[in-house]
Amino acid sequence: MKLISNLTLALLLVTAGMTASAREKTDEYCSNIASFMTSVKPDETREVTLRTFWGMRTEGNQVVMGSKTCEHNDYEPGKKLCAYLIEHSFTEFPGENAKRILNCLSPARPIAKDLRINSGSFTTSFGSEDRGAVVNLDVLPDKEPGEMVLRLEALGY
């Protein structure tokens, strides 16, 4: 019985640690999204575009299995968000990147875990009625097979 209790305790501690770690990563992800959103001033439009490729192709003299690039239009908060997204976004599941962003923007109404986003356009808001941004989020196929584009646009008010 003691062996089962120790095993149960160990599993609970591991599960709790994994949950806390996932929550910390989500909080970090959302704080990076929020930082970008709050930087957008009234009557200003800013966007970040994350491009992903998943598959196999030749780039120069190398064969790559996947890649990510991010465009920020020389906007410093966009540059910071791009740097974060390059390190912390999915290459092979671009719809999951969209879900993560949407969950950050509407934490009271999270998207179901089993919902798959293959492509789509979404509009929501960030901030208050007096100050914030209208947010457009697109996740769409890009030019070549295996390429996807995720565009996050904030229209400040």
Side-chain angles (χ1 to χ4, degrees):
M1 189 67 170
K2 184 165 173 88
L3 178 62
I4 292 173
S5 297
N6 288 342
L7 180 60
T8 302
L9 178 61
L11 287 172
L12 286 172
L13 290 173
V14 168
T15 303
M18 288 171 55
T19 302
S21 176
R23 188 172 30 246
E24 287 169 15
K25 287 181 182 179
T26 298
D27 291 345
E28 184 180 312
Y29 198 93
C30 291
S31 69
N32 278 275
I33 298 296
S35 183
F36 174 74
M37 291 296 160
T38 56
S39 74
V40 180
K41 294 175 178 48
D43 300 318
E44 191 175 69
T45 299
R46 299 293 182 173
E47 76 177 55
V48 165
T49 303
L50 178 67
R51 296 180 187 279
T52 59
F53 166 74
W54 185 247
M56 187 179 283
R57 69 178 173 195
T58 304
E59 289 183 4
N61 60 353
Q62 294 183 328
V63 175
V64 296
M65 286 288 297
S67 62
K68 289 186 260 191
T69 61
C70 193
E71 300 159 13
H72 47 74
N73 301 310
D74 291 324
Y75 179 57
E76 193 59 35
K79 188 176 186 177
K80 289 179 183 176
L81 180 58
C82 274
Y84 183 82
L85 291 175
I86 289 291
E87 292 296 318
H88 297 95
S89 62
F90 296 103
T91 304
E92 65 278 28
F93 304 114
E96 289 299 312
N97 297 326
K99 275 176 50 174
R100 290 173 82 183
I101 292 170
L102 290 170
N103 281 332
C104 290
L105 296 172
S106 59
R109 298 178 307 262
I111 296 172
K113 290 179 183 182
D114 62 344
L115 177 71
R116 286 188 58 158
I117 297 175
N118 295 313
S119 67
S121 296
F122 309 89
T123 300
T124 188
S125 60
F126 176 86
S128 68
E129 288 184 23
D130 299 324
R131 172 73 177 92
V134 173
V135 181
N136 295 313
L137 179 67
D138 302 309
V139 58
L140 303 164
D142 209 356
K143 300 169 194 130
E144 299 291 326
E147 293 179 342
M148 293 293 285
V149 61
L150 183 140
R151 185 178 62 89
L152 176 63
E153 178 186 59
L155 296 89
Y157 60 82

